[in-house]
């Protein structure tokens, strides 16, 4: 799979195993067809480096991405459209969905982990304790 001219920061496999999402310094998320190794979509909207991607376990059509622009973006992978944006207080380095797909966790440069309610689009808890 070729298409980036710089580092790939994160990869995620869709629940059905047909699509790989990748993130990069170029502010995009790319979707790759696993069988053909071809890029099938480039998702644009972040204003900075994208560090992390995660597919919803409930729907392979919903992908989250987080990066230096302090946002978590949710993408409809079928249309390639950004369907919602959550604003964070610092740059995002890591994201992951809960097993039931109702909560998204984000880790950011401020050393905090936030728990986000997907339905209400708000964070409801901050986990603190990391120092780096």
């Amino acid at each position: 799979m070729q298409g980036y001219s710089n580092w790939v920061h994160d990869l995620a496999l869709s629940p059905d195993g047909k699509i790989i999402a990748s993130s990069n310094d170029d502010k995009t998320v790319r979707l790759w067809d696993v069988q053909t190794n071809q890029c099938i979509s480039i998702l644009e909207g972040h204003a900075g480096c994208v560090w992390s991607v995660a597919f919803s376990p409930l729907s392979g059509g919903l992908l989250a991405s987080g990066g230096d622009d302090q946002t978590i973006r949710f993408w409809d992978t079928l249309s390639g459209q950004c369907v919602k944006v959550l604003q964070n207080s610092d740059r995002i380095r890591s994201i992951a969905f809960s097993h039931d797909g109702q909560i998204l966790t984000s880790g950011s440069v401020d050393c905090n982990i936030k728990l986000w309610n997907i339905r209400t689009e708000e964070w409801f808890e901050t986990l603190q304790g990391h120092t780096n």
Side-chain angles (χ1 to χ4, degrees), residues 110-129:
D110 63 6
C111 299
N112 292 321
I113 297 170
K114 288 187 177 176
L115 306 180
W116 302 83
N117 182 313
I118 300 301
R119 197 167 301 153
T120 65
E121 301 179 10
E122 295 178 352
W123 100 76
F124 63 92
E125 189 167 353
T126 301
L127 307 176
Q128 299 175 325

Side-chain angles (χ1 to χ4, degrees), residues 1-23:
M1 296 177 182
Q2 297 181 2
Y4 285 124
S5 60
N6 210 337
W7 293 87
V8 173
H9 293 294
D10 197 19
L11 299 170
L13 183 64
S14 65
D16 64 7
K18 295 181 179 180
I19 297 173
I20 292 175
S22 61
S23 64

Side-chain angles (χ1 to χ4, degrees), residues 19-36:
I19 297 173
I20 292 175
S22 61
S23 64
N24 182 266
D25 286 339
D26 71 0
K27 306 175 190 174
T28 67
V29 173
R30 294 180 190 231
L31 303 179
W32 305 86
D33 183 295
V34 171
Q35 288 188 337
T36 66

Side-chain angles (χ1 to χ4, degrees), residues 26-64:
D26 71 0
K27 306 175 190 174
T28 67
V29 173
R30 294 180 190 231
L31 303 179
W32 305 86
D33 183 295
V34 171
Q35 288 188 337
T36 66
N37 294 333
Q38 297 299 309
C39 180
I40 54 176
S41 188
I42 299 174
L43 310 179
E44 298 178 300
H46 279 282
C49 174
V50 183
W51 286 94
S52 189
V53 289
F55 278 99
S56 168
L58 300 180
S59 166
L62 182 64
L63 176 76

Side-chain angles (χ1 to χ4, degrees), residues 27-29 31 41-47 50 61-67 69-87 95 121:
K27 306 175 190 174
T28 67
V29 173
L31 303 179
S41 188
I42 299 174
L43 310 179
E44 298 178 300
H46 279 282
V50 183
L62 182 64
L63 176 76
S65 60
D69 62 359
Q70 301 179 6
T71 65
I72 299 168
R73 295 182 177 271
F74 292 86
W75 306 90
D76 176 339
T77 60
L78 298 176
S79 69
Q81 298 299 310
C82 181
V83 295
K84 79 173 83 165
V85 179
L86 303 179
Q87 188 66 47
I95 57 175
E121 301 179 10

